[in-house]
Every structure is written in C-alpha cells, then in structure tokens.
Amino acid sequence: MEEKILGVVPNFKKSKSWGRWDTYSLVVTDQSFIFALMTSQMVKDAAAEAQKNAKEAGKGFFARWGDQIKSGFTLYQKYYNMPVESILEESKENFQLQLDNISKVIVKKKTGDENLADTTEIKIETASGKQEYFIDGTSKEMVGLFEAVLGDKLDIKKGIFGLG
C-alpha cells in the first residue's frame, strides 16, 4: 500500500555542536516519519527560482526581494506533492522512521525568557534509542498530526496548548 502524506512540519531542528543545528522538514505519513534535511543549497536554489519567477512576472526590486525571502519559508510545501521515494532520494541525509518502530513521542513546551523564545521539544523513542528535536514556538498542527498517527504513543506534557 502506498504511503499517504498527511502533513509536513517545517523547521524541525536537531541540535549539533556549538549552538548549530540541522533543519529538517518532517513529513508525516500514515506509515512513517520522513526527515528531509533542508540544505543551504536548497534554500539558495529556491531563492534563485523565486527571483527568476518574480522578474519574469515584471515585479519590482522590493517585490522580487520579498519573494526571495518567502521562498525559504515555504520550501517544505513541495513535499506534499512528492512521492515518498523521491523525498528519501533527495538527499543522502534524509531518512525514515516507521511508525511501528516508534515506541513513544514526548512533546514538551519549553518557555523562554527575555533572551530566549519559546520552543517545543520533541523526543522520539525507538528500540534503537532516543532522538531529540525542537521547533521554534508551538504548533497545534504538529500535535494534531502526531495524535492522528501515534495514538497512545504520544505523550503531551502538561501545559502545552492547554492539553495534558
């Protein structure tokens, strides 16, 4: 049976060293989580395409510039129309976790202070270990997707979105 894409969570981040992180688009299907790495080349290509399209449409400098900026924020939308195999083949860093292999997903809101913004921490537990990710702010859409595919494997910590 072909996997059905249910939604995409943009800017799904995994911490690296020295305050850096990898940014993924998390493609949620009815069978798996697919992690599609957003590379700097992808962002550059999207900006160049947006610039070209805006110029062809006869837009002025500021409108072209605005289109370039927006292109990085909407890059994840392409995954709604891609087959799962193409998403996985897009980059050697892309990978998939089957929902059957996920034992638990913990979602916890981390409240920032005057120097740090709020984030949402996502811990994914599998037989092979734990993976930790975060998104800036909060996402009710993400929680809704997780509820739909994970059921009782989802643990929402008290206080997030008024749930828990």
Side-chain angles (χ1 to χ4, degrees):
M1 186 166 104
E2 187 174 323
E3 282 187 75
K4 180 181 177 192
I5 294 173
L6 303 176
V8 181
V9 181
N11 300 315
F12 207 74
K13 300 174 184 176
K14 183 173 181 72
S15 292
K16 291 171 42 170
S17 62
W18 300 97
R20 298 177 307 135
W21 58 83
D22 284 331
T23 302
Y24 295 89
S25 292
L26 176 65
V27 181
V28 179
T29 77
D30 57 347
Q31 299 174 36
S32 68
F33 283 175
I34 302 168
F35 296 79
L37 184 67
M38 185 188 311
T39 65
S40 57
Q41 188 60 50
M42 291 168 71
V43 174
K44 288 177 192 174
D45 292 347
E49 182 70 20
Q51 169 76 354
K52 180 181 141 225
N53 291 341
K55 193 170 190 173
E56 288 174 358
K59 293 184 177 182
F61 172 79
F62 288 108
R64 290 194 314 260
W65 185 45
D67 285 356
Q68 281 181 266
I69 292 169
K70 284 188 273 187
S71 68
F73 294 108
T74 59
L75 192 54
Y76 72 94
Q77 292 176 348
K78 68 181 180 177
Y79 295 117
Y80 283 102
N81 299 311
M82 287 177 71
V84 168
E85 298 78 27
S86 297
I87 297 170
L88 290 168
E89 292 169 358
E90 182 181 48
S91 170
K92 64 180 169 56
E93 287 90 6
N94 291 2
F95 66 97
Q96 182 176 36
L97 284 178
Q98 295 297 325
L99 295 176
D100 291 344
N101 295 333
I102 296 173
S103 56
K104 188 179 207 177
V105 173
I106 301 167
V107 178
K108 181 179 179 184
K109 182 178 179 181
K110 305 280 263 182
T111 304
D113 57 24
E114 65 274 356
N115 297 318
L116 292 172
D118 291 352
T119 59
T120 300
E121 182 179 90
I122 302 100
K123 292 182 182 178
I124 301 173
E125 297 180 11
T126 66
S128 59
K130 292 180 184 178
Q131 299 177 26
E132 294 185 22
Y133 299 90
F134 68 95
I135 60 169
D136 295 327
T138 57
S139 172
K140 289 182 181 180
E141 293 81 10
M142 178 191 73
V143 170
L145 280 170
F146 286 3
E147 286 175 333
V149 298
L150 294 168
D152 61 0
K153 293 180 185 179
L154 179 62
D155 181 4
I156 301 173
K157 293 301 181 191
K158 187 174 175 84
I160 189 164
F161 315 116
L163 304 171

Short mmCIF file of all heavy atoms in Angstrom, two decimals, residues 107-150:
data_model
loop_
_atom_site.label_atom_id
_atom_site.label_comp_id
_atom_site.label_asym_id
_atom_site.label_seq_id
_atom_site.Cartn_x
_atom_site.Cartn_y
_atom_site.Cartn_z
N VAL A 107 6.20 15.34 23.73
CA VAL A 107 6.17 16.73 23.28
C VAL A 107 6.07 17.60 24.52
O VAL A 107 5.18 17.43 25.35
CB VAL A 107 4.95 16.98 22.35
CG1 VAL A 107 4.89 18.44 21.93
CG2 VAL A 107 5.01 16.08 21.12
N LYS A 108 7.02 18.54 24.64
CA LYS A 108 7.09 19.36 25.83
C LYS A 108 7.40 20.80 25.45
O LYS A 108 8.36 21.06 24.71
CB LYS A 108 8.18 18.82 26.76
CG LYS A 108 8.33 19.58 28.05
CD LYS A 108 9.43 18.93 28.90
CE LYS A 108 9.63 19.68 30.19
NZ LYS A 108 10.73 19.12 30.97
N LYS A 109 6.63 21.72 25.96
CA LYS A 109 6.87 23.15 25.71
C LYS A 109 7.96 23.64 26.64
O LYS A 109 7.95 23.35 27.83
CB LYS A 109 5.58 23.94 25.94
CG LYS A 109 5.74 25.42 25.64
CD LYS A 109 4.42 26.13 25.84
CE LYS A 109 4.59 27.62 25.58
NZ LYS A 109 3.33 28.34 25.78
N LYS A 110 8.91 24.37 26.08
CA LYS A 110 9.98 24.98 26.87
C LYS A 110 9.78 26.50 26.78
O LYS A 110 9.91 27.08 25.71
CB LYS A 110 11.35 24.62 26.31
CG LYS A 110 11.62 23.14 26.16
CD LYS A 110 12.00 22.51 27.45
CE LYS A 110 13.47 22.42 27.55
NZ LYS A 110 13.97 21.80 28.72
N THR A 111 9.44 27.09 27.91
CA THR A 111 9.17 28.52 27.94
C THR A 111 10.48 29.28 28.05
O THR A 111 11.30 28.99 28.92
CB THR A 111 8.25 28.88 29.12
OG1 THR A 111 7.07 28.10 29.01
CG2 THR A 111 7.89 30.35 29.11
N GLY A 112 10.66 30.22 27.14
CA GLY A 112 11.88 31.02 27.14
C GLY A 112 11.79 32.16 28.14
O GLY A 112 10.83 32.30 28.88
N ASP A 113 12.83 32.98 28.14
CA ASP A 113 12.84 34.16 28.99
C ASP A 113 13.00 35.38 28.09
O ASP A 113 12.75 35.30 26.89
CB ASP A 113 13.95 34.07 30.04
CG ASP A 113 15.33 33.87 29.43
OD1 ASP A 113 15.54 34.24 28.24
OD2 ASP A 113 16.22 33.37 30.13
N GLU A 114 13.44 36.49 28.65
CA GLU A 114 13.57 37.71 27.84
C GLU A 114 14.63 37.57 26.74
O GLU A 114 14.62 38.31 25.77
CB GLU A 114 13.86 38.94 28.72
CG GLU A 114 15.19 38.91 29.45
CD GLU A 114 15.15 38.18 30.79
OE1 GLU A 114 14.08 37.76 31.23
OE2 GLU A 114 16.23 38.04 31.40
N ASN A 115 15.54 36.61 26.87
CA ASN A 115 16.60 36.42 25.88
C ASN A 115 16.34 35.24 24.94
O ASN A 115 16.98 35.12 23.91
CB ASN A 115 17.95 36.19 26.57
CG ASN A 115 18.37 37.40 27.38
OD1 ASN A 115 18.21 38.53 26.93
ND2 ASN A 115 18.88 37.18 28.57
N LEU A 116 15.44 34.35 25.33
CA LEU A 116 15.17 33.16 24.53
C LEU A 116 13.69 33.03 24.24
O LEU A 116 12.86 33.25 25.11
CB LEU A 116 15.63 31.90 25.26
CG LEU A 116 17.13 31.71 25.45
CD1 LEU A 116 17.39 30.52 26.36
CD2 LEU A 116 17.81 31.50 24.11
N ALA A 117 13.37 32.65 23.02
CA ALA A 117 11.97 32.45 22.63
C ALA A 117 11.49 31.08 23.11
O ALA A 117 12.29 30.20 23.43
CB ALA A 117 11.85 32.53 21.11
N ASP A 118 10.18 30.91 23.15
CA ASP A 118 9.60 29.62 23.49
C ASP A 118 9.94 28.61 22.39
O ASP A 118 10.02 28.95 21.21
CB ASP A 118 8.07 29.71 23.58
CG ASP A 118 7.61 30.51 24.78
OD1 ASP A 118 8.44 30.88 25.62
OD2 ASP A 118 6.39 30.77 24.85
N THR A 119 10.15 27.36 22.79
CA THR A 119 10.37 26.27 21.85
C THR A 119 9.53 25.08 22.29
O THR A 119 9.03 25.03 23.42
CB THR A 119 11.86 25.84 21.80
OG1 THR A 119 12.27 25.42 23.10
CG2 THR A 119 12.76 26.95 21.30
N THR A 120 9.38 24.14 21.39
CA THR A 120 8.73 22.88 21.71
C THR A 120 9.75 21.78 21.48
O THR A 120 10.34 21.70 20.40
CB THR A 120 7.48 22.66 20.85
OG1 THR A 120 6.57 23.73 21.09
CG2 THR A 120 6.81 21.34 21.19
N GLU A 121 9.97 20.98 22.50
CA GLU A 121 10.93 19.89 22.44
C GLU A 121 10.17 18.61 22.07
O GLU A 121 9.11 18.33 22.62
CB GLU A 121 11.56 19.76 23.82
CG GLU A 121 12.62 18.73 23.97
CD GLU A 121 13.16 18.73 25.40
OE1 GLU A 121 12.61 18.01 26.25
OE2 GLU A 121 14.12 19.49 25.64
N ILE A 122 10.72 17.84 21.15
CA ILE A 122 10.12 16.59 20.71
C ILE A 122 11.15 15.48 20.88
O ILE A 122 12.22 15.54 20.28
CB ILE A 122 9.66 16.66 19.23
CG1 ILE A 122 8.66 17.81 19.02
CG2 ILE A 122 9.04 15.34 18.79
CD1 ILE A 122 9.26 19.03 18.44
N LYS A 123 10.82 14.49 21.71
CA LYS A 123 11.71 13.34 21.90
C LYS A 123 11.03 12.12 21.29
O LYS A 123 9.90 11.80 21.63
CB LYS A 123 11.97 13.09 23.39
CG LYS A 123 12.79 14.18 24.03
CD LYS A 123 13.07 13.87 25.48
CE LYS A 123 13.85 15.02 26.11
NZ LYS A 123 14.11 14.80 27.53
N ILE A 124 11.75 11.47 20.39
CA ILE A 124 11.23 10.29 19.71
C ILE A 124 12.02 9.09 20.22
O ILE A 124 13.23 9.04 20.09
CB ILE A 124 11.37 10.42 18.18
CG1 ILE A 124 10.61 11.66 17.70
CG2 ILE A 124 10.88 9.16 17.49
CD1 ILE A 124 10.81 12.00 16.23
N GLU A 125 11.30 8.15 20.81
CA GLU A 125 11.92 6.95 21.36
C GLU A 125 11.64 5.75 20.45
O GLU A 125 10.50 5.51 20.07
CB GLU A 125 11.39 6.66 22.76
CG GLU A 125 11.72 7.75 23.76
CD GLU A 125 11.18 7.48 25.16
OE1 GLU A 125 10.72 6.34 25.42
OE2 GLU A 125 11.22 8.40 25.98
N THR A 126 12.71 5.04 20.11
CA THR A 126 12.60 3.82 19.32
C THR A 126 13.42 2.74 20.03
O THR A 126 14.13 3.03 20.99
CB THR A 126 13.15 4.01 17.88
OG1 THR A 126 14.56 4.26 17.96
CG2 THR A 126 12.47 5.17 17.16
N ALA A 127 13.35 1.53 19.52
CA ALA A 127 14.14 0.43 20.10
C ALA A 127 15.64 0.72 20.03
O ALA A 127 16.41 0.29 20.87
CB ALA A 127 13.82 -0.88 19.39
N SER A 128 16.05 1.50 19.02
CA SER A 128 17.48 1.78 18.85
C SER A 128 17.94 3.03 19.60
O SER A 128 19.10 3.39 19.54
CB SER A 128 17.81 1.91 17.37
OG SER A 128 17.05 2.94 16.78
N GLY A 129 17.03 3.70 20.31
CA GLY A 129 17.45 4.86 21.10
C GLY A 129 16.49 6.03 20.99
O GLY A 129 15.41 5.93 20.43
N LYS A 130 16.95 7.16 21.56
CA LYS A 130 16.14 8.38 21.58
C LYS A 130 16.75 9.40 20.63
O LYS A 130 17.96 9.50 20.50
CB LYS A 130 16.12 9.00 22.97
CG LYS A 130 15.39 8.19 24.00
CD LYS A 130 15.42 8.91 25.34
CE LYS A 130 14.78 8.06 26.41
NZ LYS A 130 14.83 8.69 27.73
N GLN A 131 15.87 10.17 20.00
CA GLN A 131 16.29 11.29 19.17
C GLN A 131 15.56 12.52 19.70
O GLN A 131 14.37 12.45 20.01
CB GLN A 131 15.90 11.05 17.71
CG GLN A 131 16.56 9.83 17.11
CD GLN A 131 16.08 9.59 15.68
OE1 GLN A 131 15.67 10.51 14.99
NE2 GLN A 131 16.14 8.35 15.25
N GLU A 132 16.27 13.64 19.78
CA GLU A 132 15.68 14.87 20.29
C GLU A 132 15.69 15.94 19.21
O GLU A 132 16.70 16.17 18.55
CB GLU A 132 16.42 15.35 21.52
CG GLU A 132 16.28 14.43 22.71
CD GLU A 132 16.92 14.98 23.97
OE1 GLU A 132 17.10 16.22 24.07
OE2 GLU A 132 17.23 14.17 24.85
N TYR A 133 14.54 16.59 19.07
CA TYR A 133 14.35 17.66 18.09
C TYR A 133 13.64 18.81 18.79
O TYR A 133 13.16 18.68 19.90
CB TYR A 133 13.49 17.17 16.92
CG TYR A 133 14.11 16.02 16.17
CD1 TYR A 133 13.87 14.70 16.55
CD2 TYR A 133 14.96 16.25 15.10
CE1 TYR A 133 14.46 13.65 15.88
CE2 TYR A 133 15.55 15.19 14.42
CZ TYR A 133 15.30 13.90 14.81
OH TYR A 133 15.89 12.86 14.15
N PHE A 134 13.57 19.95 18.10
CA PHE A 134 12.79 21.05 18.61
C PHE A 134 12.28 21.89 17.46
O PHE A 134 12.80 21.83 16.33
CB PHE A 134 13.61 21.91 19.60
CG PHE A 134 14.74 22.68 18.97
CD1 PHE A 134 14.58 23.99 18.58
CD2 PHE A 134 15.98 22.08 18.79
CE1 PHE A 134 15.63 24.71 18.01
CE2 PHE A 134 17.04 22.79 18.22
CZ PHE A 134 16.86 24.10 17.83
N ILE A 135 11.22 22.62 17.73
CA ILE A 135 10.72 23.62 16.80
C ILE A 135 10.62 24.93 17.56
O ILE A 135 10.47 24.93 18.79
CB ILE A 135 9.34 23.24 16.19
CG1 ILE A 135 8.28 23.09 17.28
CG2 ILE A 135 9.42 22.00 15.33
CD1 ILE A 135 6.85 23.00 16.74
N ASP A 136 10.72 26.02 16.85
CA ASP A 136 10.54 27.33 17.47
C ASP A 136 9.06 27.51 17.74
O ASP A 136 8.22 27.15 16.92
CB ASP A 136 11.05 28.44 16.56
CG ASP A 136 12.55 28.37 16.34
OD1 ASP A 136 13.27 27.95 17.27
OD2 ASP A 136 13.01 28.72 15.23
N GLY A 137 8.73 28.06 18.89
CA GLY A 137 7.33 28.29 19.23
C GLY A 137 6.59 26.99 19.48
O GLY A 137 7.14 26.03 20.00
N THR A 138 5.33 26.98 19.09
CA THR A 138 4.49 25.80 19.26
C THR A 138 3.70 25.56 17.97
O THR A 138 3.55 26.47 17.16
CB THR A 138 3.51 25.98 20.43
OG1 THR A 138 2.73 27.15 20.19
CG2 THR A 138 4.22 26.09 21.76
N SER A 139 3.20 24.36 17.80
CA SER A 139 2.45 24.03 16.59
C SER A 139 1.30 23.08 16.91
O SER A 139 1.51 21.90 17.14
CB SER A 139 3.37 23.39 15.55
OG SER A 139 2.61 22.91 14.45
N LYS A 140 0.09 23.61 16.93
CA LYS A 140 -1.08 22.78 17.14
C LYS A 140 -1.26 21.80 15.99
O LYS A 140 -1.73 20.69 16.18
CB LYS A 140 -2.33 23.65 17.29
CG LYS A 140 -2.37 24.41 18.59
CD LYS A 140 -3.65 25.21 18.72
CE LYS A 140 -3.62 25.99 20.03
NZ LYS A 140 -4.83 26.77 20.22
N GLU A 141 -0.86 22.22 14.77
CA GLU A 141 -0.96 21.34 13.61
C GLU A 141 -0.08 20.11 13.79
O GLU A 141 -0.47 19.00 13.48
CB GLU A 141 -0.59 22.09 12.32
CG GLU A 141 -1.56 23.19 11.93
CD GLU A 141 -1.34 24.50 12.68
OE1 GLU A 141 -0.31 24.66 13.39
OE2 GLU A 141 -2.22 25.37 12.59
N MET A 142 1.14 20.32 14.31
CA MET A 142 2.04 19.21 14.54
C MET A 142 1.44 18.24 15.56
O MET A 142 1.44 17.03 15.35
CB MET A 142 3.40 19.70 15.04
CG MET A 142 4.39 18.58 15.35
SD MET A 142 5.87 19.14 16.22
CE MET A 142 5.20 19.47 17.86
N VAL A 143 0.92 18.77 16.65
CA VAL A 143 0.33 17.92 17.68
C VAL A 143 -0.86 17.15 17.09
O VAL A 143 -1.01 15.96 17.34
CB VAL A 143 -0.09 18.75 18.92
CG1 VAL A 143 -0.92 17.92 19.87
CG2 VAL A 143 1.15 19.28 19.62
N GLY A 144 -1.66 17.80 16.27
CA GLY A 144 -2.78 17.12 15.63
C GLY A 144 -2.33 15.98 14.73
O GLY A 144 -2.93 14.89 14.73
N LEU A 145 -1.26 16.20 13.96
CA LEU A 145 -0.70 15.14 13.12
C LEU A 145 -0.20 13.98 13.97
O LEU A 145 -0.46 12.81 13.67
CB LEU A 145 0.46 15.67 12.28
CG LEU A 145 0.14 16.46 11.04
CD1 LEU A 145 1.41 17.11 10.48
CD2 LEU A 145 -0.49 15.57 9.99
N PHE A 146 0.53 14.31 15.03
CA PHE A 146 1.06 13.28 15.91
C PHE A 146 -0.06 12.47 16.56
O PHE A 146 0.01 11.25 16.65
CB PHE A 146 1.96 13.89 16.98
CG PHE A 146 3.31 14.36 16.49
CD1 PHE A 146 3.67 14.30 15.15
CD2 PHE A 146 4.23 14.87 17.38
CE1 PHE A 146 4.91 14.73 14.72
CE2 PHE A 146 5.49 15.31 16.97
CZ PHE A 146 5.81 15.23 15.62
N GLU A 147 -1.12 13.16 17.00
CA GLU A 147 -2.26 12.46 17.61
C GLU A 147 -2.88 11.49 16.61
O GLU A 147 -3.23 10.37 16.97
CB GLU A 147 -3.31 13.45 18.10
CG GLU A 147 -2.91 14.20 19.35
CD GLU A 147 -3.91 15.27 19.74
OE1 GLU A 147 -4.62 15.82 18.87
OE2 GLU A 147 -3.96 15.58 20.95
N ALA A 148 -3.00 11.92 15.36
CA ALA A 148 -3.64 11.10 14.34
C ALA A 148 -2.86 9.81 14.04
O ALA A 148 -3.46 8.77 13.81
CB ALA A 148 -3.82 11.91 13.05
N VAL A 149 -1.54 9.88 14.04
CA VAL A 149 -0.75 8.71 13.64
C VAL A 149 -0.15 7.92 14.81
O VAL A 149 0.16 6.75 14.65
CB VAL A 149 0.38 9.07 12.64
CG1 VAL A 149 -0.21 9.65 11.36
CG2 VAL A 149 1.40 10.01 13.24
N LEU A 150 0.00 8.56 15.96
CA LEU A 150 0.68 7.90 17.07
C LEU A 150 -0.28 7.35 18.13
O LEU A 150 0.08 6.43 18.86
CB LEU A 150 1.67 8.85 17.75
CG LEU A 150 2.85 9.27 16.89
CD1 LEU A 150 3.60 10.42 17.55
CD2 LEU A 150 3.78 8.10 16.63
#
